[in-house]
Amino acid sequence: MSMNWERARPRIHALGAALLLALLYALLASSDPRAALSAFFLGPFASAYTFCALLESSAPLLACALGACIAFRAGAFNLGGEGQASVGTLAAALVASALGGAAGLPPALVVAASMLAAAAAGSCLALLSAEAERRTGAQVMLTSFLLAQAAIIAVDWAIGGPLRDSSSNLLAMPPLSEGARLSLIAPPSPLSLAFPASLALAACTVFFTKATRLGSEIRLRGKNPEFALTIGLSPRLGDLAMCLSGGLAGVAGSFLVLGQAGRAVKGMTGGVGWNGLAVALIAGSDGLWALPAALFFAWLDAGSRQSSILADLSPDASSVLKAVALFLITAKIAGSGKPRGSLLGGTGAAT
Amino acid sequence: MELLSASGIRKYYRDTLTLANDGVFLSLIEGETRAVVGENGAGKSTLARVLAGLVHQDSGEVRVRGRRVRPGSVREAEAAGIGFVPQSSLLAEGLTVAENLALGREPRSLGLFVSRRKAYVETAMLVERFGFRLDPDSLVSSLTAAERRHAEIARALARGGEILILDEPTSILSESESAKLFELLSRLSSAGKAILLITHRLSEVLKIADSVTVLRDGRVIAEVPADGADEAELSSLMARGATRPRTSALSLAAAAGMGACAGPPALEIRGLRLAAGARPINLSVSPGEVLAVTALAGNGLGRLEDFASGLRTPDEGEVLVGGASLSSIPRDRLRSELMGYAPADRERRGLCLPATARDNLLALRRREFRARDWIGGRRRDEAAREAAAPLSLEAKPRQVAASLSGGNRQRLLLARELDRPRAVLVLAEPLQGLDLATQAEAALLIRELAAKGSAVLLLVSSIEEALGSADRVMALYRGETAFEGANEGSPTAASLLAAMTGAVA
Amino acid sequence: MILERLTSLGISTLASAAPLALAALGGLAAAASGSLSIALEGSMLVGAFTAAAVGHATGSAAAGMAAGAFAGLLLSLLVGGAAVGLKADVFVAGLAANILAPGIVSVASQAAYGTKGVLAAEALRSGQWEIIALLASASLALALFLSRSVFGLRLRVAGEGDEIAAAAGIRSGAYRLAAHLIAGAASGLAGAALAAGIGAYVPGMTSGRGWIALVAVFLGGRRPGGVALACLLFGLLFALSNLVQGFGGQGASSGAELLQAVPYAVTALALVAWKGAERRRKAGG
């Protein structure tokens, strides 16, 4: 119903245009366009290893994007995903290293507790903004960003300072024990349980937003907050949405720590929050669409990385391509004569 | 000499499916004051907006001094000397009066900057010449309603307006303020300006106008000189048909009711202050009773709606539903079980326009559905169809509410709120946008719910609606109770209007 | 000794506040026209990079600064064009611009200099007072232009709504686009000044200053004077956190780095406190 062709077309156009631009860039900027092109487009699929790496890197992105989808559906502009993921990394690393050392605890429990701690940390940070808006009207859009910025600095300080593993050259906390990490699925590739876990989160998010009363209430609030109050919906729905949104971003942070890296590294979120936001916008705040969009973004990232290693292109080309896709999709939707705001709340015709 | 002429003006509004003007003609000579009268929805405002260039007519033309004015262009209309004073202010709130008057032809200093001194002087001269009650330096946001009217008129004149079109200029003014406004208008008229006065208040018209055009259903029904015109005759011309079907439909509904039941009030308001410095109001509605509260815009009706519906919690006084304080009842329970509420602001508050008709209809019945209903939606479709039936709402369950016409939106709102006899019904302007037949249906439905034990609080700005359907009537003026009594022939439309405009307190 | 410290704190406050103020006044132009300038941050970043690149290439600080302002304007043309011309959501377009800015800077840097790291431009380096004077006079001119000029007056009318603007014969879309361009140029110049201060472009050097400028627009009550005052306050915060960091900056784990978080947290608190006070005032009145 919501995954119909009408809604898919502008998104596919935008993503296609981004790919076209990538093609142009590789042709124009590289001294060896053939190598650059094949590295960019095919590199991520060249081996099982690189493909698994692509899947693994999509997991935190998808989690952040799902969080952004829920917040946007509720009409809350959560711009703090980056910081919520960042506190998630710290919380996960702290809990995992504390419990991982304790004898006798089953690994599954340690990992679950670490992920919960990360979710709680992200939730708390997001909740501050939601409560501030409910009580005073201070815009979530601004406070979530500012608090996230402060949190990122604090987390970076903690990881690079008091919590740093002094035996290592890295600005990072000590590596986690094997039992406190998400198991690898296909060693030696970095693919871990984080990827299937992110798929499960996507399924839960889609179920929550489309098949529950609360999900439908959140959608009504996002479309018209005044109407939501008039029909008696709780003013705390915004809190709930921000809480879930921040929690998902926190889980994304735990994926980074407990998955591939196996430790908390300074600055390891590396834009996952902002990219998650972009994925959610391209997906029209629809959890179903967030999965392909996140995979697409992960592909762009992996492609740029590959082409910067194997050819002479910039690894940051992917963020230009993502921005172009975003620009195009706002323009596309506006151009098709549909009601405004469909990027943020999903079109009115859905569900 | 003929200054303004309009002929064959036709305008059809696609989104509300109404033919607002159907071949309207009009002419205005120098120094003439002409009134255009008609009921709500007769097409007066549309005509005014066409003349002012704010609305592009489908056909027909406007000429000033014989020259055709390009349709749909404010600039052209202004250049031709047409000044428009809209019903709701179009002044820029954050600017001063002088700045507003100067907009578009600002006096400059150094080529780049606004010369405040020159702007002040220009406005002051205008104020002086016609006797406006205005300080050029005051911010528009600080003006009273009457001062805004003056500022709007001054702006029209400042832009070289020779022909002034005023759309319901007195609708939110008190009697004495209206009288002052008319003095101003007659000064302008004697200074040679032609004035077109759009109104539905006949008594005003006969005092000030030279001639009267009567509109009905988008057509000119009569053109008469004001001298010797009879108020009763005019009002019968304005009304659709000899007897007023709307009133009769409502009275029919009233007759079908059971009248007020005795018993403890279901809704009670005690010591509620609606405006700073106003005397607090008290009211109570018993089960089975319909209380209509009426007031002109800006006199506290909106605030009363906010408090009675529980959207605002009063600092002073209390609102009780079934004896319990409104703020102590969880809002979800209040709305799904105890209180039906149709807001006057239908588009923003009453409906979720980007959502489907189904989501809007079932917004209070969310708890009835399970996961598979939310996914599949067939059961919700059926429930929506059932809910739509009593008011013959023509909408598909999955149609977006924004695509519905005004009348269907109101049906949608009422279908949701009147689906069961809740203890209290707070209905603000419940009949707005409905055609006559549906008005009757809705009024009947409200009466039936009252008969089943609902206490109904009607908040309406139309005196006719208040008198037509209530057991008791109350009028507000400046946030205070100006009249309260049983609706048994004693409060006539005239006496109620007098109370609402502060003529008797 | 104490006097010296105070003077240096004062100078450091001005140096931090000046770029904020210019960017914030640009944001004010957009806000006054009824639009939202999320892309201040992005414009500052491309402004900083372009200034360094052009300053490096031409050896002229003035050319660098002008190019920085122009680059900021180009970025905002994307946002304003999408929002006004294509009726795109201004929030999404602004976010896209903020994602685009670091990406395009990095790609350009890689293509031109083979690095995506620090780009030194000694030629761009300017004296602290020169920069402060340039930014302060640009801010003053912009404030004057917004509050006193015919353009500024019409801009504010455009911000009151399309219907009101139309009734006054003002095409609100054109004014809104112009406001976006002003915001872009102002924040581009502000970013250029950041680069000029240290004579180099450093990735991520704006570090959220564009967002703080946006907060200053709200905190300043949408009036130029108030906005400037809010920026001075934030400038003081940055200066204080730098100063305290200077005292204890010996050990890496001393917590000095943590102080950098203070301006952001305090800005958020200030916004909440101000909005809370505003709500109480409205409820009372």
XYZ file of all heavy atoms in Angstrom, chain B residues 49 75 78 90-95 99 103-104 106 108 112-114 116 159, chain C residues 144-145 147-150 153-154 156-157 160 163-164 166-170 283:
306
model
N -13.692 40.994 -3.483
C -12.321 40.566 -3.766
C -12.036 40.563 -5.266
O -10.902 40.783 -5.676
C -12.063 39.192 -3.142
C -12.143 39.255 -1.603
C -12.143 37.890 -0.974
N -10.794 37.346 -0.891
C -9.925 37.663 0.064
N -10.278 38.527 1.001
N -8.740 37.149 0.083
N -2.264 45.182 -8.095
C -1.590 46.396 -8.537
C -2.438 47.192 -9.521
O -2.563 48.407 -9.410
C -0.266 46.032 -9.203
C 0.843 45.849 -8.200
C 2.082 45.313 -8.876
N 3.062 44.920 -7.873
C 4.165 45.601 -7.634
N 4.441 46.690 -8.311
N 5.000 45.221 -6.687
N -5.339 48.804 -7.840
C -4.901 49.971 -7.073
C -4.580 51.136 -7.999
O -4.936 52.281 -7.722
C -3.665 49.614 -6.243
C -4.033 49.011 -4.909
C -2.807 48.732 -4.062
O -1.686 49.028 -4.514
O -2.981 48.218 -2.959
N -5.183 42.988 6.687
C -4.017 42.561 5.911
C -2.849 43.524 6.131
O -1.995 43.695 5.276
C -4.357 42.493 4.426
C -5.187 41.280 4.000
C -5.518 41.338 2.530
C -4.456 39.990 4.316
N -2.832 44.173 7.291
C -1.705 45.043 7.614
C -0.562 44.177 8.126
O -0.789 43.121 8.712
C -2.110 46.042 8.705
C -3.217 47.031 8.340
C -3.769 47.673 9.599
C -2.707 48.079 7.384
N 0.659 44.640 7.921
C 1.821 43.930 8.459
C 1.953 44.270 9.941
O 2.124 45.429 10.305
C 3.078 44.319 7.705
N 1.831 43.239 10.778
C 1.754 43.441 12.230
C 3.009 44.091 12.816
O 2.940 44.877 13.741
C 1.543 42.092 12.919
C 0.234 41.420 12.601
C -0.898 42.019 13.395
O -0.738 42.196 14.612
O -1.936 42.335 12.783
N 4.160 43.718 12.275
C 5.407 44.170 12.887
C 5.843 45.554 12.449
O 6.914 46.014 12.849
N 5.051 46.210 11.619
C 5.429 47.532 11.115
C 4.554 48.603 11.760
O 3.480 48.305 12.271
C 5.252 47.576 9.591
C 6.432 47.137 8.724
C 6.916 45.756 9.097
C 6.030 47.151 7.251
N 4.642 53.054 8.266
C 5.361 52.142 7.366
C 4.387 51.349 6.502
O 4.607 51.155 5.312
C 6.246 51.183 8.179
C 7.516 51.836 8.690
C 8.281 50.947 9.667
O 7.667 50.091 10.323
O 9.495 51.119 9.773
N 4.222 51.376 2.300
C 4.687 50.187 1.559
C 4.408 50.278 0.069
O 3.306 50.611 -0.345
C 4.005 48.922 2.101
C 4.666 48.244 3.291
C 3.881 47.005 3.662
C 6.100 47.889 2.952
N 5.430 49.937 -0.710
C 5.257 49.924 -2.147
C 5.633 51.252 -2.797
O 5.940 51.318 -3.976
N 7.657 53.729 -0.823
C 8.317 54.273 0.349
C 9.092 55.546 0.007
O 9.814 55.582 -0.984
C 9.300 53.250 0.931
C 8.686 51.915 1.332
C 8.598 50.927 0.182
O 8.829 51.340 -0.978
O 8.309 49.744 0.442
N 12.218 57.769 0.245
C 13.581 57.296 0.485
C 14.496 58.416 0.924
O 14.275 59.585 0.618
C 14.153 56.680 -0.785
C 13.409 55.426 -1.181
C 13.918 54.908 -2.490
N 13.090 53.793 -2.919
C 13.553 52.561 -3.144
N 14.824 52.288 -3.001
N 12.738 51.607 -3.519
N 18.458 54.481 -0.648
C 18.408 53.096 -0.202
C 17.509 52.935 1.022
O 16.850 51.924 1.194
C 19.831 52.654 0.126
C 20.071 51.191 0.446
C 19.756 50.336 -0.769
C 21.519 50.982 0.859
N 17.487 53.963 1.847
C 16.832 53.815 3.141
C 15.444 54.415 3.149
O 15.120 55.295 2.348
C 17.692 54.456 4.234
C 19.014 53.756 4.391
C 20.170 54.314 3.883
C 19.079 52.518 5.008
C 21.378 53.663 4.010
C 20.278 51.860 5.138
C 21.434 52.430 4.632
N 14.616 53.932 4.067
C 13.283 54.484 4.228
C 13.405 55.767 5.036
O 14.012 55.772 6.100
C 12.376 53.505 4.991
C 10.977 54.056 5.101
C 12.373 52.151 4.331
N 11.966 57.771 7.508
C 10.881 57.636 8.480
C 10.151 58.952 8.683
O 8.958 58.985 8.917
C 11.452 57.161 9.816
C 11.963 55.754 9.720
C 12.429 55.305 11.058
N 12.758 53.888 11.016
C 13.169 53.195 12.042
N 13.324 53.791 13.215
N 13.441 51.924 11.944
N -2.928 55.058 -0.952
C -2.514 54.514 -2.241
C -3.314 55.111 -3.388
O -3.436 54.516 -4.448
C -2.703 53.014 -2.236
C -1.839 52.412 -1.196
C -1.899 50.939 -1.296
N -0.915 50.385 -0.405
C -0.527 49.142 -0.445
N -1.033 48.349 -1.350
N 0.363 48.708 0.387
N 21.987 47.482 9.656
C 21.395 48.745 9.211
C 20.524 48.504 7.979
O 19.414 49.016 7.864
C 22.525 49.722 8.884
C 22.198 51.190 9.024
C 21.895 51.502 10.476
C 23.356 52.032 8.517
N 21.057 47.699 7.080
C 20.358 47.405 5.831
C 19.028 46.704 6.124
O 17.991 47.045 5.556
C 21.255 46.520 4.974
C 20.699 46.231 3.609
C 20.476 47.257 2.703
C 20.394 44.937 3.233
C 19.962 46.995 1.446
C 19.884 44.670 1.979
C 19.660 45.697 1.082
N 17.276 46.737 8.952
C 16.296 47.450 9.767
C 15.855 48.774 9.140
O 14.760 49.229 9.416
C 16.848 47.686 11.169
O 18.046 48.404 11.085
N 16.679 49.381 8.310
C 16.329 50.708 7.836
C 16.058 50.842 6.346
O 15.451 51.806 5.912
C 17.473 51.707 8.200
C 17.662 51.930 9.675
C 16.466 52.691 10.212
N 16.428 52.658 11.656
C 17.080 53.504 12.448
N 17.833 54.432 11.903
N 16.988 53.423 13.744
N 16.541 49.887 5.553
C 16.414 50.097 4.110
C 15.017 49.735 3.631
O 14.256 49.052 4.313
C 17.439 49.264 3.363
O 17.073 47.910 3.442
N 14.699 50.207 2.436
C 13.432 49.858 1.799
C 13.373 48.347 1.624
O 12.352 47.705 1.886
C 13.323 50.569 0.437
C 12.116 50.054 -0.329
C 13.232 52.065 0.637
N 12.579 46.616 4.885
C 11.173 46.797 5.249
C 10.304 45.790 4.494
O 9.456 45.110 5.072
C 10.747 48.225 4.908
C 9.356 48.642 5.373
C 9.335 48.798 6.873
C 8.935 49.937 4.708
N 10.556 45.689 3.192
C 9.741 44.771 2.380
C 10.018 43.322 2.747
O 9.133 42.478 2.689
C 10.027 45.007 0.906
C 9.542 46.376 0.471
C 9.792 46.604 -0.980
N 9.260 47.889 -1.392
C 9.320 48.331 -2.635
N 9.872 47.595 -3.572
N 8.825 49.507 -2.943
N 10.636 42.231 5.695
C 9.848 41.909 6.885
C 8.378 41.695 6.522
O 7.692 40.876 7.126
C 9.987 43.023 7.922
C 11.250 42.872 8.749
C 11.378 43.973 9.759
N 11.912 45.174 9.152
C 11.617 46.413 9.539
N 10.765 46.603 10.517
N 12.165 47.443 8.949
N 7.877 42.438 5.539
C 6.493 42.236 5.110
C 6.342 40.846 4.486
O 5.366 40.140 4.731
C 6.059 43.329 4.128
C 4.655 43.055 3.624
C 6.109 44.684 4.808
N 5.687 38.287 6.947
C 4.392 38.259 7.645
C 3.391 37.344 6.944
O 2.297 37.129 7.441
C 3.820 39.672 7.746
C 4.734 40.588 8.539
C 3.990 41.363 9.600
O 2.794 41.125 9.770
O 4.633 42.184 10.262
N -0.106 36.341 1.918
C -1.309 37.111 1.628
C -1.096 38.588 1.953
O -1.469 39.466 1.186
C -2.482 36.533 2.434
C -3.810 36.837 1.790
C -4.971 36.408 2.651
O -4.727 35.782 3.706
O -6.102 36.714 2.276
N -0.465 38.826 3.114
C -0.216 40.208 3.517
C 0.754 40.869 2.545
O 0.571 42.023 2.136
C 0.319 40.242 4.962
C -0.819 39.920 5.934
C 0.936 41.578 5.291
C -0.406 39.783 7.361
N 1.218 40.056 -0.571
C 0.535 40.260 -1.852
C -0.354 41.500 -1.778
O -0.422 42.286 -2.723
C -0.293 39.035 -2.216
N -1.012 41.690 -0.639
C -1.880 42.847 -0.486
C -1.073 44.138 -0.556
O -1.593 45.188 -0.930
C -2.643 42.784 0.830
N 0.211 44.071 -0.191
C 1.062 45.259 -0.257
C 1.809 45.312 -1.585
O 2.682 46.142 -1.765
C 2.041 45.255 0.909
N 1.482 44.383 -2.492
C 2.130 44.374 -3.800
C 3.565 43.892 -3.760
O 4.383 44.277 -4.591
N 3.896 43.040 -2.776
C 5.273 42.559 -2.625
C 5.341 41.088 -2.982
O 4.546 40.287 -2.487
C 5.760 42.801 -1.184
C 6.008 44.284 -0.994
C 7.015 41.997 -0.879
C 6.260 44.678 0.423
N 1.516 33.372 28.883
C 0.430 32.821 29.691
C -0.087 33.877 30.652
O -1.282 33.965 30.912
C 0.919 31.590 30.448
